[in-house]
Amino acid sequence: MRKLALSDEILLKIEKPARYIGNEVNSVMKDKSKTDIRFCMCFPDVYEIGMSHLGIQILYDMFNKREDTWCERVYSPWTDLDAVMREKNIPLFALESQDPVKEFDFLGITIQYEMCYTNILQILDLSGIPLSASERTWEDPIVIGGGPCAYNPEPLAEFFDMFYIGEGEVVYDKLLDLYKAARRENMDRSRFLLEAAKIPGIYVPSLYQVTYKEDGTIASFSPVADGVPSTVEKQIVMDVTHTSYPKAPVVPFIKCTQDRVVLEIQRGCIRGCRFCQAGMIYRPTRERDLAMLKDYASAMLKNTGHEEISLSSLSSSDYSDLAGIVNFLIDEFEQKGVNISLPSLRIDAFSLDVMSKVQDIKKSSLTFAPEAGSQRLRNVINKGLTEEVILQGAGEAFKGGWNKVKLYFMLGLPTETEEDIKEIAHLAEKIAERYYEIPKQERNGKCQITVSTSFFVPKPFTPFQWVSMNDRDQFLGKARIVNQEIKDQLNKKSIKYNWHEADVTVLEGILARGDRRIGTAIRQAYENGALYDAWGENFVYKHWQDAFEQTGIDPSFYTERERSRDEILPWDFIQIGVTKKFLWNEWEKAKEEKITKNCRAGCSGCGAKVFGGGVCYEGQD
């Protein structure tokens, strides 16, 4: 019988002990004496968040299909267990075997969001793994990072042995095979890292040197060993239909953020919004075959017992056979009580028709993301939505029975004016007015509109990667303008307004575009007590303010400064397919308020054709 790492006494004292006991439905148990590689996959946030992450489920399934590998999972212990583990010197452990993470060959950390950086140090610290990669030996796991934040790995360079740039299905097998050979041949750790750096998509920070100019910008970035490439190329799967995908994903014991089957229908996005990092780094768009989706939907629902299935995509409306998969799910599962979730839909007549088939209109709300209030600013960000389309979509939705609408906007966008800001309130008012144009007897109760604004962060590999960012006071001042403008609206009772935390956004901006020097501040903030920074109740900005002061780092260098075209950016060594020239041209077009067509309407020459497939080849120049 498997022995738990935590005693009954501890489990009874902490919140949600089911986070730590493992043994869930579809979790994989193997005989560790019969495996060559033990891989611990980590999501550096609480269990309920990590268990909702599709990427880990895919890699967990893929690794465990190898007979020589046993992949297990670990998540960040919540603050109550964190305190107990430190007090009683309990090492962090994996869920399946309950063995200490330090005993594994690899610790793979998915880096989904900048605000989890201190949680990464918590994972290493509680595991007894040296925080600095330079201090590790073969007695420690190889610590490898991946996910969207790995596209600027530099702030975390000190803490990782390597990063995987791109989609994990491509070269992980090569890396694991190399590791087996290295241990078999008694290769030293540094030699293994050198050989790993030669695998496409693998970035080993210790094998690169960075120098800086007097003004603090990067002077050079280059490899320090022969055979190490000067650039690291993103790895992506072109045939997403025949790649690894779990038919029996692990089912959590407790309710998670996404307590449902997740069916990924495509990767990438054709839209080209200039603020959106995902839309650039996941190009080109690749669709899964309808027959495959039908097969996997049936198998996953059967193997999990879930009563909801979600179609995952950056822009589900753009999947070429959305009607086919939705109609299949309705025909097969609606009478069996299975709910169908359709996030990331554009609000047009077709999408509304689809949603009306799968949603309980009386209970659900519609989500619009205009992102900017004025048409001028929507053109700047290349949102591709006109006010006419927005109001028409809202009108069709109201006629269809919806009366609850959520509107998402950003404040602090490049070239934004006070008039643009006020237009957020005016657009919300126009949508409310559209509802009351419907005859009273045909309305579905009272109209409820919720306006939410986040604050803009310029991310790497977007056309806005060069721009300056607002500071805390500027962000809050803009939120107050929106709030006052909404209060002044005649229909204010129908409109509610909320906004994101400004301090968190500023920190996110520092970490998103930071270089290697930021690592010292991340470590210092962790030592100051920063942990679970993504959770409002735990975020203490003073921990970070003190850390920047203690390490001599000026945060404004990373946020409030506009970059020149010829400046070497910390992430320039990564090749994502989309070229730097294209991104700069898009920034120039943004300043001119010019629109770029979506990929299906006309090729924009972004560079993603280098991968040799995807929708960017369909019916274009």
Side-chain angles (χ1 to χ4, degrees):
M1 186 176 176
R2 191 183 59 129
K3 185 177 180 181
L4 293 176
L6 301 176
S7 67
D8 290 346
E9 180 186 1
I10 293 173
L11 288 170
L12 288 170
K13 287 182 178 179
I14 59 175
E15 182 183 346
K16 299 183 181 178
R19 290 167 169 164
Y20 312 107
I21 60 177
N23 212 32
E24 307 101 318
V25 172
N26 297 330
S27 59
V28 177
M29 298 299 295
K30 291 189 177 184
D31 183 345
K32 61 185 177 183
S33 67
K34 295 180 180 178
T35 58
D36 300 316
I37 301 172
R38 299 191 68 191
F39 199 113
C40 190
M41 186 63 69
C42 169
F43 193 97
D45 205 325
V46 73
Y47 175 90
E48 296 94 303
I49 302 294
M51 278 296 290
S52 301
H53 186 251
L54 178 60
I56 284 186
Q57 293 270 18
I58 291 173
L59 293 178
Y60 181 83
D61 177 73
M62 184 180 82
F63 289 157
N64 280 318
K65 283 177 179 173
R66 288 180 59 124
E67 290 186 7
D68 62 357
T69 303
W70 185 12
C71 181
E72 303 184 42
R73 295 160 297 127
V74 69
Y75 305 98
S76 287
W78 188 244
T79 52
D80 54 355
L81 181 59
D82 177 283
V84 172
M85 295 177 78
R86 294 177 192 277
E87 178 189 346
K88 298 184 179 297
N89 293 316
I90 300 171
L92 188 62
F93 53 90
L95 291 186
E96 281 77 0
S97 65
Q98 302 276 299
D99 287 344
V101 171
K102 187 177 171 67
E103 296 179 3
F104 284 70
D105 300 298
F106 284 88
L107 173 59
I109 302 177
T110 294
I111 317 168
Q112 196 70 19
Y113 179 37
E114 290 84 0
M115 304 312 296
C116 72
Y117 285 4
T118 52
N119 280 52
I120 292 171
L121 300 193
Q122 175 211 33
I123 294 287
L124 297 174
D125 194 9
L126 290 177
S127 299
I129 300 169
L131 297 188
S132 294
S134 60
E135 297 174 8
R136 295 178 196 140
T137 69
W138 273 135
E139 297 299 310
D140 304 298
I142 297 293
V143 180
I144 180 169
C149 290
Y151 284 88
N152 178 21
E154 290 302 274
L156 296 169
E158 176 192 351
F159 313 118
F160 282 81
D161 295 297
M162 60 179 69
F163 292 89
Y164 185 119
I165 310 299
E167 296 170 354
E169 297 98 327
V170 187
V171 297
Y172 253 124
D173 283 332
K174 290 182 183 177
L175 181 64
L176 297 182
D177 290 342
L178 174 64
Y179 178 81
K180 280 177 64 175
R183 300 316 303 262
R184 187 171 58 245
E185 298 165 14
N186 291 319
M187 192 183 292
D188 65 40
R189 205 172 190 271
S190 60
R191 171 69 188 284
F192 166 72
L193 292 175
L194 177 61
E195 295 303 315
K198 299 174 185 178
I199 297 175
I202 301 297
Y203 167 54
V204 179
S206 62
L207 297 178
Y208 294 79
Q209 183 179 41
V210 189
T211 63
Y212 300 92
K213 299 177 182 178
E214 286 187 12
D215 65 0
T217 60
I218 295 174
S220 66
F221 184 97
S222 56
V224 297
D226 292 338
V228 177
S230 58
T231 59
V232 179
E233 295 183 359
K234 172 184 80 172
Q235 302 299 297
I236 66 167
V237 179
M238 292 310 301
D239 181 4
V240 292
T241 294
H242 298 101
T243 190
S244 184
Y245 200 81
K247 282 191 172 181
V250 180
V251 181
F253 278 136
I254 57 177
K255 187 171 178 60
C256 290
T257 307
Q258 293 189 19
D259 201 12
R260 60 182 75 102
V261 162
V262 179
L263 186 65
E264 183 186 49
I265 59 176
Q266 65 181 7
R267 291 184 185 175
C269 182
I270 66 172
R271 293 291 158 181
C273 297
R274 292 176 179 134
F275 58 85
C276 181
Q277 184 187 54
M280 297 297 168
I281 63 177
Y282 296 130
R283 286 190 178 199
T285 301
R286 294 142 289 147
E287 297 186 342
R288 294 188 190 273
D289 181 74
L290 179 60
M292 174 265 190
L293 294 178
K294 290 179 178 180
D295 178 34
Y296 274 72
S298 300
M300 294 168 78
L301 287 166
K302 178 183 177 182
N303 293 331
T304 62
H306 280 306
E307 296 178 340
E308 183 172 348
I309 184 167
S310 174
L311 302 184
S312 173
S313 167
L314 290 174
S315 181
S316 300
S317 299
D318 294 321
Y319 177 66
S320 61
D321 205 351
L322 183 62
I325 185 60
V326 169
N327 288 332
F328 167 78
L329 293 174
I330 292 172
D331 293 343
E332 290 289 314
F333 302 110
E334 191 174 46
Q335 297 305 314
K336 299 175 183 176
V338 174
N339 294 320
I340 304 166
S341 173
L342 290 164
S344 305
L345 284 178
R346 296 173 72 82
I347 305 301
D348 53 31
F350 168 70
S351 299
L352 290 168
D353 179 59
V354 169
M355 282 187 283
S356 68
K357 293 177 181 178
V358 301
Q359 286 188 4
D360 182 343
I361 294 172
K362 292 181 179 179
K363 295 181 181 178
S364 64
S365 61
L366 273 181
T367 299
F368 290 76
E371 309 294 1
S374 70
Q375 190 59 51
R376 186 198 76 81
L377 197 52
R378 284 194 294 276
N379 291 349
V380 168
I381 65 177
N382 205 46
K383 181 61 183 175
L385 277 180
T386 64
E387 183 173 294
E388 181 183 2
V389 168
I390 294 168
L391 293 178
Q392 183 177 345
E396 291 295 323
F398 293 146
K399 289 178 184 176
W402 278 278
N403 67 332
K404 290 178 277 188
V405 174
K406 296 178 181 178
L407 299 172
Y408 289 101
F409 298 91
M410 282 185 286
L411 290 172
L413 288 163
T415 80
E416 182 183 64
T417 66
E418 183 171 331
E419 187 58 37
D420 295 321
I421 297 168
K422 290 181 177 179
E423 282 297 314
I424 291 175
H426 299 163
L427 181 58
E429 174 66 10
K430 289 174 185 176
I431 290 173
E433 288 173 350
R434 183 59 60 97
Y435 181 78
Y436 290 106
E437 289 174 4
I438 299 172
K440 191 170 185 179
Q441 65 273 17
E442 296 177 20
R443 298 176 201 160
N444 184 18
K446 181 184 175 185
C447 179
Q448 300 173 43
I449 295 176
T450 302
V451 174
S452 296
T453 56
S454 61
F455 297 124
F456 169 70
V457 176
K459 290 292 180 84
F461 295 110
T462 68
F464 295 151
Q465 63 182 357
W466 291 277
V467 307
S468 61
M469 180 177 161
N470 287 183
D471 62 26
R472 176 185 180 276
D473 291 339
Q474 288 173 317
F475 279 140
L476 292 177
K478 292 176 177 182
R480 282 192 285 269
I481 291 173
V482 176
N483 194 41
Q484 187 59 50
E485 200 71 10
I486 287 176
K487 285 183 178 179
D488 291 342
Q489 297 298 308
L490 295 174
N491 217 10
K492 60 186 177 182
K493 290 182 180 179
S494 298
I495 304 172
K496 294 180 180 178
Y497 176 53
N498 53 63
W499 60 91
H500 192 58
E501 301 97 326
D503 288 341
V504 173
T505 303
V506 171
L507 179 57
E508 182 185 341
I510 296 166
L511 299 177
R513 293 194 294 181
D515 52 40
R516 288 194 180 189
R517 294 169 294 190
I518 290 292
T520 59
I522 295 173
R523 181 195 281 254
Q524 188 61 57
Y526 173 69
E527 292 174 357
N528 291 349
L531 190 63
Y532 279 105
D533 293 309
W535 295 69
E537 66 268 34
N538 291 314
F539 179 67
V540 180
Y541 193 49
K542 191 174 190 309
H543 291 329
W544 286 94
Q545 289 175 310
D546 292 345
F548 291 129
E549 188 173 330
Q550 290 161 334
T551 55
I553 288 173
D554 176 11
S556 66
F557 178 81
Y558 299 97
T559 54
E560 298 169 30
R561 181 178 63 86
E562 190 157 317
R563 282 79 169 146
S564 65
R565 182 175 186 177
D566 60 355
E567 178 175 336
I568 298 174
L569 304 175
W571 51 91
D572 273 350
F573 69 95
I574 297 174
Q575 301 297 320
I576 67 163
V578 175
T579 65
K580 195 173 182 181
K581 179 182 177 182
F582 169 79
L583 295 175
W584 180 265
N585 289 342
E586 283 294 294
W587 170 220
E588 291 292 313
K589 289 178 72 173
K591 288 185 281 188
E592 296 170 5
E593 302 170 16
K594 291 182 178 178
I595 290 288
T596 297
K597 293 179 181 178
N598 72 66
C599 297
R600 281 205 179 100
C603 179
S604 58
C606 72
K609 281 187 178 181
V610 70
F611 295 107
V615 300
C616 61
Y617 269 113
E618 294 180 6
Q620 287 157 23
D621 301 338

